[in-house]
Amino acid sequence: MLVHGGGHDSRCWAPLLPHLNGATLAVDLPGRGDKAGDLATLRIHDLVNSAAADLDAFDRAERVVLIGHSLAGTLIPEIASRRPDRVAHLVFLSCFVPAEGQTVADETTPLLRVVRRGMTLHPARPVTI
């Protein structure tokens, strides 16, 4: 199961999919791709709930490998803790993994925080730096 980062949707995994064996699920988190959600009000627990529901709906007898990119580094450990019987391994691909008591925002530079805020408020508008 592939979980995209904050500025992406499931399509970001398209180049990788032909190289994977077996059943693969690339999810859209709320507010991205085909999944409805208000980016201005979503919280981490909303994203985790959505991805956990997608995992529950993924009809596989064997346990899955959760692969998370970027922001998903904060999501996949919680998904795995909620569904330990469904998850075999976690793979962190260029992820944010904040220290205890820290947030993703604490891990970013001030410029990146401004850019990310602009992308959240206006996801369809390109950002040029």
Side-chain angles (χ1 to χ4, degrees):
M1 182 170 139
L2 304 162
V3 184
H4 63 80
H8 297 103
D9 63 28
S10 62
R11 294 174 296 177
C12 74
W13 300 107
L16 177 65
L17 294 176
H19 304 284
L20 299 176
N21 294 323
T24 305
L25 173 65
V27 302
D28 279 323
L29 294 172
R32 300 291 182 186
D34 293 330
K35 189 143 317 167
D38 179 0
L39 294 175
T41 60
L42 286 168
R43 300 292 177 252
I44 292 293
H45 71 270
D46 300 318
L47 306 178
V48 170
N49 290 342
S50 176
D54 289 337
L55 176 58
D56 289 343
F58 190 43
D59 190 22
R60 303 299 302 165
E62 65 273 1
R63 293 167 68 203
V64 303
V65 175
L66 285 180
I67 301 173
H69 172 251
S70 188
L71 175 69
T74 64
L75 308 178
I76 62 175
E78 181 63 24
I79 297 164
S81 74
R82 291 183 185 190
R83 306 292 192 274
D85 58 315
R86 298 292 318 272
V87 178
H89 301 284
L90 301 179
V91 176
F92 295 83
L93 179 63
S94 191
C95 285
F96 283 104
V97 184
E100 184 76 28
Q102 298 290 304
T103 67
V104 170
D106 295 329
E107 300 288 322
T108 61
T109 66
L111 175 60
L112 184 56
R113 285 191 288 262
V114 169
V115 170
R116 293 297 304 151
R117 178 158 171 70
M119 289 174 68
T120 299
L121 295 176
H122 308 286
R125 186 185 312 160
V127 176
T128 305
I129 300 176

